[in-house]
Amino acid sequence: MLFNLRILLNKAALRNGHSFAVRNYRCGQPLQNKVQLKGRDLLTLKNFTGEEIKYMLWLSADLKFRIKQKGEYLPLLQGKSLGMIFEKRSTRTRLSTETGFALLGGHPCFLTTQDIHLGVNESLMDTARVLSSMTDAVLARVYKQSDLDILAKEASIPIINGLSDLYHPIQILADYLTLQEHYGSLKGLTLSWIGDGNNILHSIMMSAAKFGMHLQVATPKGYEPDPSITKLAEQYAKENGTKLSLMNDPLEAARGGNALITDTWISMGQEEEKKKRLQAFQGYQVTMKTAKVAASDWTFLHCLPRKPEEVDDEVFYSPRSLVFPEAENRKWTIMAVMVSLLTDYSPQLQKPKF
């Protein structure tokens, strides 16, 4: 509570006058001491406790149930506006944020580098202060995590990471909601990552152990996750009694895994490395051969867009693939993030047992 209060006071000092399956949820008792996230930034899940991340997932499930299943209209963000800064193109992040914020009664404003002077004709500091006077929050999809850090430092409103070179926290919330819906609980699951040591993996590493999930990672040599993130993930695993295994053998990483997870091998900004990367990732395609060594209840996740060399059609379009529910859940989880950072709303759905 003191930590949250300190964040709110620091923010205030900068102001210048300004598909859901209910049956799969093991429901427990409503939370007695509600987690308070209002006024926080979401730059990385490293900055959030397990209970705080669980709260966002609980809120996601609540909004999905009330709005999608029950058909309720919840204008929780009426009168609020959101600045959406996109240095990189996007389908799911843009659409989920824009439609989700509007569905909750707010006004999203989409901004590209062609629309504003971000870090070119205007400093990040000045942009942060201007946006703080005109919007209630900013979601930024940027190349550099350091730019998000500057925006958060200078802004008096919540800053949300819509993707950076280092982290993609809002994607991981959607992944966890999807697995929660499918398995009924996250604790004890084994996640098998097969691919690049990138921002998606980094976000999993900063959060999986907080749910009691084990993580098995296979990356080609030279494409391992950031060493500082690995060190912190090892600490989380030790604190939570989970296993973190890093290796170069895709089949070994898949062995016993409940969720097989991969991502693009060539992220935006890495196009010049395409030939080199395709050679390095030979043998990393997820196929039914991969699935044969996984757990009997294995599922598959991919944050999209997908290319055939990353996962073949047999797995990608199989009944075990959760990629399209995962994509839809981007909307419900980003809505929950916005509601939790901007309002005092409390979920009505009973808290799931994570």
Side-chain angles (χ1 to χ4, degrees):
M1 183 61 73
L2 288 175
F3 177 71
N4 291 338
L5 179 60
R6 191 179 301 116
I7 289 173
L8 293 173
L9 290 174
N10 288 339
K11 289 281 189 183
L14 291 169
R15 292 191 177 98
N16 295 313
H18 197 146
S19 90
F20 190 81
V22 178
R23 65 182 181 279
N24 283 345
Y25 276 90
R26 294 191 228 157
C27 293
Q29 295 300 313
L31 193 66
Q32 298 301 313
N33 297 311
K34 188 173 78 68
V35 172
Q36 176 57 260
L37 301 180
K38 188 175 180 181
R40 294 272 296 275
D41 299 314
L42 176 54
L43 305 183
T44 165
L45 295 176
K46 175 177 67 175
N47 298 335
F48 289 78
T49 67
E51 285 306 310
E52 289 170 337
I53 303 172
K54 290 173 185 178
Y55 178 78
M56 287 188 279
L57 294 181
W58 177 20
L59 183 50
S60 304
D62 176 84
L63 294 175
K64 188 174 184 179
F65 177 67
R66 293 190 65 187
I67 296 172
K68 183 177 181 179
Q69 298 296 109
K70 297 181 67 179
E72 294 184 45
Y73 176 53
L74 299 177
L76 301 173
L77 300 179
Q78 187 169 356
K80 298 187 182 298
S81 58
L82 174 73
M84 299 170 56
I85 299 174
F86 279 66
E87 289 187 328
K88 294 184 174 185
R89 63 185 180 274
S90 167
T91 300
R92 279 147 295 278
T93 300
R94 177 181 177 179
L95 201 58
S96 62
T97 303
E98 202 164 327
T99 59
F101 203 83
L103 184 59
L104 291 166
H107 178 77
C109 186
F110 181 70
L111 306 166
T112 71
T113 52
Q114 304 301 311
D115 303 309
I116 59 176
H117 306 287
L118 186 69
V120 181
N121 294 329
E122 184 172 60
S123 68
L124 286 169
M125 178 177 70
D126 291 356
T127 297
R129 294 184 178 189
V130 169
L131 290 173
S132 294
S133 70
M134 297 184 184
T135 65
D136 297 282
V138 169
L139 179 138
R141 186 180 179 94
V142 298
Y143 283 98
K144 297 186 294 184
Q145 179 75 21
S146 57
D147 286 348
L148 283 170
D149 295 336
I150 293 172
L151 286 172
K153 179 182 177 183
E154 300 297 336
S156 57
I157 56 176
I159 303 296
I160 299 142
N161 183 352
L163 177 144
S164 73
D165 58 345
L166 207 57
Y167 297 112
H168 196 357
I170 58 175
Q171 174 62 54
I172 302 314
L173 293 176
D175 292 0
Y176 291 168
L177 179 63
T178 306
L179 293 175
Q180 172 74 25
E181 289 175 346
H182 183 82
Y183 289 105
S185 178
L186 297 177
K187 187 175 182 180
L189 292 181
T190 296
L191 308 182
S192 296
W193 176 269
I194 300 169
D196 193 15
N198 63 10
N199 51 5
I200 300 287
L201 175 58
H202 289 163
S203 289
I204 295 174
M205 293 172 74
M206 292 296 93
S207 55
K210 296 174 183 178
F211 286 87
M213 289 189 286
H214 310 292
L215 180 57
Q216 299 173 172
V217 176
T219 59
K221 291 181 180 179
Y223 295 90
E224 293 88 355
D226 182 280
S228 64
I229 292 175
T230 298
K231 184 177 181 180
L232 189 54
E234 289 172 343
Q235 178 183 322
Y236 289 158
K238 185 176 181 180
E239 291 172 353
N240 292 278
T242 63
K243 296 178 182 178
L244 172 64
S245 306
L246 278 72
M247 61 200 77
N248 303 117
D249 184 344
L251 286 180
E252 194 59 35
R255 194 171 304 280
N258 302 106
L260 304 177
I261 313 172
T262 192
D263 184 25
T264 182
W265 298 345
I266 304 152
S267 298
M268 284 177 280
Q270 297 175 333
E271 288 80 6
E272 292 183 2
E273 303 175 35
K274 182 175 181 179
K275 185 176 179 180
K276 179 183 176 183
R277 281 178 166 267
L278 287 177
Q279 290 176 343
F281 283 82
Q282 287 295 313
Y284 277 75
Q285 184 190 46
V286 178
T287 66
M288 284 299 178
K289 180 181 177 182
T290 317
K292 280 183 180 179
V293 302
S296 60
D297 62 352
W298 69 270
T299 54
F300 176 76
L301 295 177
H302 191 304
C303 69
L304 307 179
R306 161 258 186 177
K307 298 179 182 65
E309 63 263 22
E310 299 150 6
V311 53
D312 68 8
D313 285 355
E314 190 176 8
V315 171
F316 187 78
Y317 292 110
S318 77
R320 301 295 190 97
S321 175
L322 302 178
V323 295
F324 295 110
E326 176 188 12
E328 180 194 339
N329 281 337
R330 288 293 305 280
K331 180 170 183 171
W332 303 107
T333 47
I334 194 60
M335 287 168 67
V337 168
M338 301 299 179
V339 169
S340 64
L341 300 186
L342 292 174
T343 77
D344 294 312
Y345 174 79
S346 296
Q348 291 191 5
L349 191 72
Q350 281 191 314
K351 183 183 179 184
K353 281 190 175 180
F354 293 100

